[in-house]
């Protein structure tokens, strides 16, 4: 029916965003089973609500799993899959899930080449979302939040004030 097809489209799109990859048929069928159960009890909206609850409770959403290749010895180094690389790259540069162009680059194999990886990193760094790399990373690494706890003696450092404290933090973020 039309409602099931509509639910399929909604859950496919949301599932791909939540799981940070194109959603597989198996995952989609699980979400559709939840939709059908909810729809049987309370209609289309109840079905979508139950499926979204299932999506948000899924370990695939809550955690970032990186599956090692099948033939890798325990403890051995291996190359990340392009989709796992896209996810790592996105969370490092943006502190957010990968966007559609990055997922497309990963799934098409473009992210597996140095030229493709370079192109995506440059695109991501040109985006305002990459500001989080300098602000959040610098703050955690250099413990910039501790600046709020520093209150030097005013007689020894009469020029130290809130404006200087903010400027010190911002200068460090810009440097990083």
């Amino acid at each position: 029916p039309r409602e099931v097809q509509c639910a399929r489209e909604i859950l496919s799109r949301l599932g791909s965003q939540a799981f940070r990859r194109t959603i597989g048929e198996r995952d989609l069928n699980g979400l559709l089973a939840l939709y059908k159960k909810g729809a049987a009890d309370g209609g289309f909206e109840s079905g979508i609500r139950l499926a979204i609850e299932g999506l948000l409770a899924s370990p695939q959403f809550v955690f970032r799993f990186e599956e090692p290749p099948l033939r890798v010895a325990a403890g051995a180094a291996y190359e990340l899959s392009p989709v796992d690389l896209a996810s790592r790259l996105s969370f490092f540069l943006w502190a957010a899930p990968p966007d559609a162009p990055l997922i497309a680059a990963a799934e098409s194999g473009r992210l597996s080449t140095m030229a493709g990886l370079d192109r995506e990193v440059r695109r991501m760094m040109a985006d305002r979302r990459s500001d989080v790399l300098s602000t959040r990373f610098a703050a955690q690494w250099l413990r910039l939040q501790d600046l709020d706890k520093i209150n030097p003696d005013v007689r020894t450092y009469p020029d130290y004030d809130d404006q200087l404290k903010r400027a010190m933090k911002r200068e460090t973020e810009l440097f990083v």
Side-chain angles (χ1 to χ4, degrees), residues 11-116:
L11 296 172
S12 179
R13 188 178 64 250
L14 288 177
S16 294
Q17 290 173 339
F19 294 170
R20 299 165 296 280
R21 60 175 166 72
T22 299
I23 191 169
E25 204 58 37
R26 182 175 176 216
D27 292 321
L28 185 56
N29 287 338
L31 293 172
L32 283 172
L34 288 172
Y35 161 76
K36 289 174 184 173
K37 181 179 184 321
D41 293 341
F44 181 79
E45 287 185 21
S46 292
I48 291 293
R49 184 179 306 115
L50 185 60
I52 291 174
E53 287 173 8
L55 181 73
L56 296 176
S58 169
Q60 295 291 326
F61 170 70
V62 176
F63 303 107
R64 285 184 287 155
F65 291 109
E66 292 175 357
E67 295 294 327
L70 295 175
R71 296 184 178 92
V72 173
Y78 59 88
E79 201 169 302
L80 288 175
S81 76
V83 172
D84 289 341
L85 177 60
S87 192
R88 271 199 192 184
L89 189 61
S90 182
F91 278 99
F92 178 67
L93 296 178
W94 287 345
D99 62 358
L102 185 58
I103 292 292
E107 290 179 342
S108 71
R110 292 189 316 266
L111 201 57
S112 298
T113 67
M114 285 308 292

Side-chain angles (χ1 to χ4, degrees), residues 115-167:
L117 180 60
D118 185 62
R119 190 176 318 109
E120 285 302 311
V121 168
R122 288 180 186 279
R123 178 185 71 81
M124 294 172 75
M125 290 300 292
D127 191 297
R128 296 271 316 152
R129 289 177 281 184
S130 67
D131 290 352
V132 76
L133 176 64
S134 64
T135 55
R136 187 181 279 176
F137 180 73
Q140 289 176 0
W141 178 38
L142 301 172
R143 299 186 53 87
L144 294 180
Q145 70 273 17
D146 289 350
L147 282 174
D148 293 332
K149 299 173 188 170
I150 298 172
N151 295 306
D153 185 337
V154 226
R155 289 176 295 227
T156 309
Y157 300 100
D159 295 330
Y160 189 85
D161 59 9
D162 197 51
Q163 182 179 358
L164 178 61
K165 188 186 302 188
R166 286 194 314 272

